[in-house]
Structures are given as C-alpha cells and as structure tokens.
Amino acid sequence: MASAASAPPTPTTPGNLKRIVAASLIGTTIEWYDFFLYGSAAALVFNKLFFPDSDPLVGTLLSFLTYAVGFAARPLGALVFGHYGDRLGRKKLLVLSLLLMGGATFAIGLLPTHATVGSAAPVLLTALRLVQGFALGGEWGGAVLLVSEHGDARRRGFWASWPQTGAPAGQLLATGVLSLLTAVLSDSAFTSWGWRIPFLLSGVLVMVGLWIRLSVDESPVFKQALAQAEARKAADQDAGPEKLPLVSVLRHHWRDVLVAMGARMAENISYYVITAFILVYATTAADVSKQTALNAVLIASAVHFAVIPLWGALSDRVGRRPVYLLGAAGIGLWMFPFFSLIDTGDFGNLILAITVGLVLHGAMYAPQAAFFAEMFATRMRYSGASIGAQFASVAAGAPAPLIATALLDDYDSSTPIALYVIAAAVLTLIAVGVAKETRDRDLADVESTADAGSVTTATADARTV
C-alpha cells in the first residue's frame, strides 16, 4: 500500500493554473517595473540629482555604479530566499519579496537629493538599491517555480515563460510612465519633481500584486516533496538533520549551476545593453532625443512581451537547448547591425535595432525558466535555480551598462561594446551546448524516486526520460 507521502501531486485545473500564472506574472511585472525604473532613472536623471559635481559622463558612470549595486545584492537574495523557499515553500517567500521591493522603490521616490542633504543622498540611494536587488534575487526563482511546478508538463515551457514576460512588461510600464512624464513635463519640472511620480506609483502596484499573490496555492510538487521528507524522517529516527539546500545543490548539481550561469551571460548582458545603456548611447553618440530613445524602447518592449510565450511554446516542441542556442547565436550576430542602425539617428532604424535585439533575447529568456527548473530536484530547486541565475547576474547584467559606458568613454566607438556582447554570446553557446536537454523531465519524479540518502540517483534517472 502506497503511503500518502508517495502519492502523486494533485493535478492543477486549467482555471487554477491560469490564476497562478496571472499571480506570478503580475508580481514579476511589478518587481521588474521597480528594478527597471531605477535603471532608466539612472540613465536620465540620477547623475544630475545625486552626483552633480561630476562630469556628465562620469556622473552617468557613478549612477550606473549604484545601479550595479542592486545586482551585487541579488546572490544574497538568491541564497536566503532559496534556502527558505526550499524549506517553507514558494508562496510565503514571494509575498515577502514583493513587499521588500515595493517598499524600497516607494522610499526612493521620497529621497532627498544631493542639493538637500549632500553626500548622504547617494548613500541612501545605494542602500535602497541594495534592498531592491536582495528582493529581486529571491523573486525570480520562486515565481517561475510556482508556475513550473503547477503546470502541464507537456506545455511547461509555454506556461513557465509567462512569468518571464514580467521583465518586458515591467520595462514597458516603467519606460511608458517615464516617457509620458517627459512628454508632458518640461525638463526642469521632470528633474525637479516629476521623476518621483513613477517611484511613488509602486506603492499602489504592490497592493494589487499582494492581493493577487496571496490568493494562490502552494506548489503541489513542493508539498509532495515535503511530505516525502517528513515520512522518511519519521521512518528513520536515527537519520541526521536534513542537509541545507545550498549544500545539496553544490554537492549534486554544481555542473547545472555552472551551466545556468553560463547560459545567462549573453541573455543578461545583451538585455541591459539594449534597454539601459542604449538610453545613454542614443542620446550622446547618436544625438537622439531622450523622448525618442524612450519611445523606441517602449515599442520594442511591447514586441518582446508578445514573442516570449511563442518562444516558450517552441521550446516545448523542439527542446530548450535549440531555442536557447538560436537566441545566443542571433544576438551575437546582431550586435554590429544593431549599433549601425542606432548611429543613423533615424527613429524607424532605432525601433528596428532594439526590437530585433529583444526578439533574439526572448529566444534565450523564454525557455530559461523551464530549463533551469528542470535541472534541479524539488527540495533544492529554488536554491539551485536562483543561485545559477543570480550569481551570473553579478558578472553579467550588473556591470553591463557600466562597462559599455566606460568603453564608449575610452574609445568613442560602438565596436568594443559590440565585441563585448559577442564574447558573452560565445560563452553562452558553450554552456548551453554542453548541457543536456531537459524538456522531458518530470519534476515530481525527480524527487519521488529519491531515497532518503541521495537525490543524485533520481536526478540521473530523470535525465534519461
């Protein structure tokens, strides 16, 4: 007679799955809105408000440096949220991450500037950026796992890609609000007080996100794995304490962590070059107006949002690796045409350059959620996926706008920046190229076939499905 602990997880109904997808999407949209809003403000006004004594381009570099600090906190968030998410469940940690991110963003909207409190202003700004990064480090893994572990295995790539659309949706919302404000306000009004409005708006968005996120159920795959662990502990009174998820990840999944980190290099670097640094490049090197650059990113982000689920669905049909490899190769090949189109200063060419770049980025970003989730066993999945994703962001997304701006300052040319992204694409092609296909893995079987002492056998078995 099978024990309750070994019973398969209760299937999620289509209606419940859609509600869970909506909760994850709205939550990630709000979190990415908060995170990207900072990036756009760093490119447009923070250099003047918090670093006014610097040369304009140096001020932008310092502004992007505080932007990068948020990435530095993401691995810590991944460790803390991953640990407790694997112990306590996905839902509780997702609620906490939303509160932290929204609170920090709202507080940025209330910050005094350098003109009011001097050097304390950038210190306070950096502290709040650290809170943002910590929260986002825990958000991504939980959001994609909640959907992946509820979803239909045959369409996991499609359903898990929807939380990924929170990135372009957040970018769309942040850029849209900024674009509207720069259109209706004078430069002096926007710099004086208008920039605060989108940060304060985050408080309203968080309340909506919490209401939706609190209404969903915990992952059935996680509840099954937790029941199995408790049953094993009850059956073996002499068993030692359960290993920390981080220890298990590094012992049994270190290769998968390295693959995930390598897979993120081109995806992360290209995205921040295309969406954050481009606001600097287009307005300085290409002499494009701030409003024109924002509008181009806005239009391209809408297309990006639309294509991500399509790429996710394609990964269900042909596999995660082929779609990911296509995106990495494509983004590397696109970099020189990308900057050539921007250099024309033509609005249509600007839209084309950014849109094609984001479509190719989507080919990496869409299958990433299911791909990373399928690499790890359930009781270490939050930790494994988050560590692989967020530790890579320190070397990839964090310094990307900073490095690109410094290269532009040193060489006064886009060529070194294009080569920088191409090098990242090569790293990603190697990492994904040596990885195993994960499309057919059963997330529940990875855990349910494991014995009390090891998950490595179960993981190896799952890889042969």
Side-chain angles (χ1 to χ4, degrees), residues 22 24-37 161-177 205 271 275 297-298 300-309 358 361 365:
S24 292
L25 170 58
I26 291 173
T28 53
T29 297
I30 294 169
E31 297 241 16
W32 282 113
Y33 165 81
D34 293 347
F35 205 74
F36 289 143
L37 181 61
S161 70
W162 278 100
Q164 300 291 75
T165 64
Q171 178 77 64
L172 191 65
L173 188 58
T175 307
V177 172
L205 298 176
Y271 188 77
T275 60
V297 173
L298 188 68
S301 295
V303 177
H304 193 210
F305 178 91
V307 300
I308 285 177
L358 289 181
H361 171 269
Y365 199 54

Side-chain angles (χ1 to χ4, degrees), residues 220-247:
V221 172
F222 173 80
K223 289 192 288 187
Q224 179 200 20
L226 183 61
Q228 288 174 338
E230 291 173 349
R232 289 195 296 266
K233 186 176 180 180
D236 186 0
Q237 299 295 334
D238 296 328
E242 188 178 1
K243 292 183 177 67
L244 295 176
L246 174 61
V247 173

Side-chain angles (χ1 to χ4, degrees), residues 227-439:
Q228 288 174 338
E230 291 173 349
R232 289 195 296 266
K233 186 176 180 180
D236 186 0
Q237 299 295 334
D238 296 328
E242 188 178 1
K243 292 183 177 67
L244 295 176
L246 174 61
V247 173
S248 297
V249 166
L250 297 180
R251 175 174 295 179
H252 303 303
H253 288 285
W254 62 270
R255 291 182 182 86
D256 294 320
V257 170
L258 291 178
V259 166
M261 291 177 67
R264 288 219 73 195
M265 298 307 290
E267 176 268 307
N268 218 218
I269 288 173
S270 66
Y271 188 77
Y272 290 105
V273 167
I274 292 170
T275 60
F277 168 72
I278 201 60
L279 296 177
V280 175
Y281 184 82
T283 54
T284 56
D287 198 27
V288 173
S289 72
K290 182 190 308 180
Q291 184 66 46
T292 299
L294 283 169
N295 288 343
V297 173
L298 188 68
I299 293 168
S301 295
V303 177
H304 193 210
F305 178 91
V307 300
I308 285 177
L310 301 180
W311 285 123
L314 183 62
S315 78
D316 287 326
R317 300 178 69 88
V318 303
R320 317 298 182 214
R321 291 175 66 253
V323 177
Y324 213 117
L325 290 168
L326 174 64
I331 204 70
L333 293 172
W334 184 243
M335 276 300 101
F336 281 110
F338 171 81
F339 283 108
S340 295
L341 288 168
I342 300 293
D343 287 338
T344 67
D346 178 74
F347 183 54
N349 286 341
L350 199 66
I351 293 173
L352 177 63
I354 299 172
T355 300
V356 173
L358 289 181
V359 167
L360 292 169
H361 171 269
M364 295 180 283
Y365 199 54
Q368 188 180 97
F371 188 35
F372 289 8
E374 291 159 349
M375 290 180 182
F376 303 95
T378 303
R379 292 302 305 285
M380 60 186 80
R381 186 170 292 134
Y382 201 145
S383 294
S386 296
I387 290 168
Q390 303 307 334
F391 272 69
S393 70
V394 176
L402 191 65
I403 290 173
T405 303
L407 289 172
L408 179 63
D409 189 30
D410 288 344
Y411 296 96
D412 195 26
S413 168
S414 62
T415 299
I417 305 166
L419 292 174
Y420 166 53
V421 179
I422 291 169
V426 171
L427 286 175
T428 293
L429 287 169
I430 293 171
V432 179
V434 302
K436 295 180 180 179
E437 181 56 60
T438 63
R439 177 185 56 169

Side-chain angles (χ1 to χ4, degrees), residues 134-220:
F134 179 78
L136 192 62
E139 162 69 22
W140 180 85
V144 300
L145 292 189
L146 197 64
V147 175
S148 296
E149 293 177 346
H150 272 95
D152 175 6
R154 294 173 302 173
R155 304 183 68 197
R156 186 181 297 127
F158 171 73
W159 289 117
S161 70
W162 278 100
Q164 300 291 75
T165 64
Q171 178 77 64
L172 191 65
L173 188 58
T175 307
V177 172
L178 285 171
S179 181
L180 176 63
L181 289 171
T182 56
V184 301
L185 297 176
S186 65
D187 283 347
S188 59
F190 180 78
T191 303
S192 174
W193 56 268
W195 67 272
R196 298 181 183 275
I197 294 174
F199 286 92
L200 298 175
L201 180 62
S202 178
V204 178
L205 298 176
V206 167
M207 292 301 103
V208 175
L210 281 175
W211 176 69
I212 297 172
R213 189 160 274 186
L214 287 169
S215 70
V216 302
D217 296 326
E218 182 56 81
S219 155

